[in-house]
């Protein structure tokens, strides 16, 4: 989802809690990882892996010039044939230490095994953030949490779905950052791209 679509989505959601709530959560995320030089671990549940949020955070890290936002995706099932960036298993949570940040995305209550690992990571000094459906056990472990009611239901069953919230959070995480070394701000880059798209002639029809 590019900057134009995010802006349109925020306009649609104007008057609801979501634009402000996702920005607050994104600020907590950015404040946790950027000053510490990174160390962001991203994990979902056994049934839900937050692929899209991982990809969007990678994009935002590049756009904003803040590589610290790039996450390590921690997966419940890893195969020997998986590439290195997709081969990080739950054992990585056991190695989490002070200075690292663990972001848990849980549309439904996670199993006890994941909760125990999150608890151990927090006890070892990691900062825990949660994007979930309001599960009290998850919230009891999180330093900062954002609840998406009905997160485990289809998009039409609630005011907003968890995938959309992930888009808003990842986009907001890259905002208000210093520009990349190339010297142009993220906003100017995206506005320039948008201007090019709007002024380009329509494709020829054959």
């Amino acid at each position: 989802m590019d900057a134009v679509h995010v802006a349109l989505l925020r306009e649609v959601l104007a008057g609801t809690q979501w634009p402000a709530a996702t920005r607050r959560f994104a600020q907590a995320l950015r404040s946790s990882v950027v000053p510490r030089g990174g160390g962001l671990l991203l994990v979902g549940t056994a049934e839900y892996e937050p692929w899209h949020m991982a990809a969007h955070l990678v994009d935002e890290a590049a756009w904003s010039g803040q590589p610290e936002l790039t996450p390590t995706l921690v997966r419940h099932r890893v195969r020997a044939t998986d590439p290195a960036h997709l081969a990080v298993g739950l054992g990585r949570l056991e190695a989490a230490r002070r200075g690292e940040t663990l972001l848990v995305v849980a549309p439904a209550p996670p199993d006890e095994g994941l909760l125990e690992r999150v608890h151990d990571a927090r006890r070892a000094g990691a900062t825990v953030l949660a994007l979930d459906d309001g599960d009290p056990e998850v919230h009891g472990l999180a330093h900062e949490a954002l609840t998406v009611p009905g997160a485990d239901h289809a998009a039409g069953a609630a005011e907003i779905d968890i995938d959309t919230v992930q888009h808003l959070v990842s986009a907001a995480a890259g905002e208000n950052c210093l520009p990349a070394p190339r010297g142009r701000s993220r906003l100017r880059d995206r506005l320039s791209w948008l201007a090019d798209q709007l002024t380009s002639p329509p494709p020829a029809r054959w």
Side-chain angles (χ1 to χ4, degrees):
M1 184 177 291
D2 60 35
V4 176
H5 289 129
V6 170
L8 290 174
L9 180 57
R10 285 173 176 161
E11 184 175 339
V12 170
L13 293 171
T16 72
Q17 66 163 323
W18 297 110
T22 51
R23 281 192 170 104
R24 282 195 301 270
F25 189 78
Q27 174 62 39
L29 172 62
R30 187 169 62 241
S31 297
S32 181
V33 300
V34 172
R36 297 173 178 174
L40 175 58
L41 305 174
L42 177 62
V43 67
T45 64
E47 295 77 25
Y48 182 91
E49 288 191 325
W51 295 91
H52 286 100
M53 188 161 199
H56 285 295
L57 284 171
V58 169
D59 289 343
E60 293 301 329
W63 273 110
S64 66
Q66 297 287 352
E68 299 88 354
L69 292 172
T70 302
T72 296
L73 180 61
V74 179
R75 306 180 62 204
H76 288 253
R77 291 174 291 277
V78 175
R79 299 172 298 183
T81 56
D82 289 334
H85 69 288
L86 297 178
V88 180
L90 290 175
R92 178 63 180 85
L93 301 185
E94 298 170 8
R97 293 294 180 264
R98 184 175 304 279
E100 294 186 308
T101 300
L102 174 57
L103 173 55
V104 181
V105 180
D111 59 42
E112 288 298 321
L114 178 58
L115 288 171
E116 289 177 5
R117 287 181 168 91
V118 174
H119 177 267
D120 290 343
R122 173 170 174 143
R123 188 169 55 185
T127 298
V128 178
L129 306 178
L131 181 59
D132 75 319
D133 68 343
D135 181 73
E137 291 191 84
V138 174
H139 280 226
L141 295 172
H143 294 89
E144 186 78 26
L146 178 58
T147 298
V148 185
D152 58 338
H153 297 147
E159 181 183 30
I160 191 171
D161 64 278
I162 198 166
D163 288 333
T164 300
V165 172
Q166 289 176 76
H167 287 311
L168 292 172
V169 168
S170 57
E175 292 175 345
N176 302 321
C177 294
L178 293 175
R182 55 186 169 165
R184 298 184 65 195
S185 70
R186 175 175 179 267
L187 178 59
R188 286 182 58 194
D189 280 342
R190 292 196 170 188
L191 289 176
S192 176
W193 175 86
L194 176 59
D196 289 342
Q197 299 300 309
L198 295 176
T199 56
S200 297
R205 297 180 180 275
W206 300 98

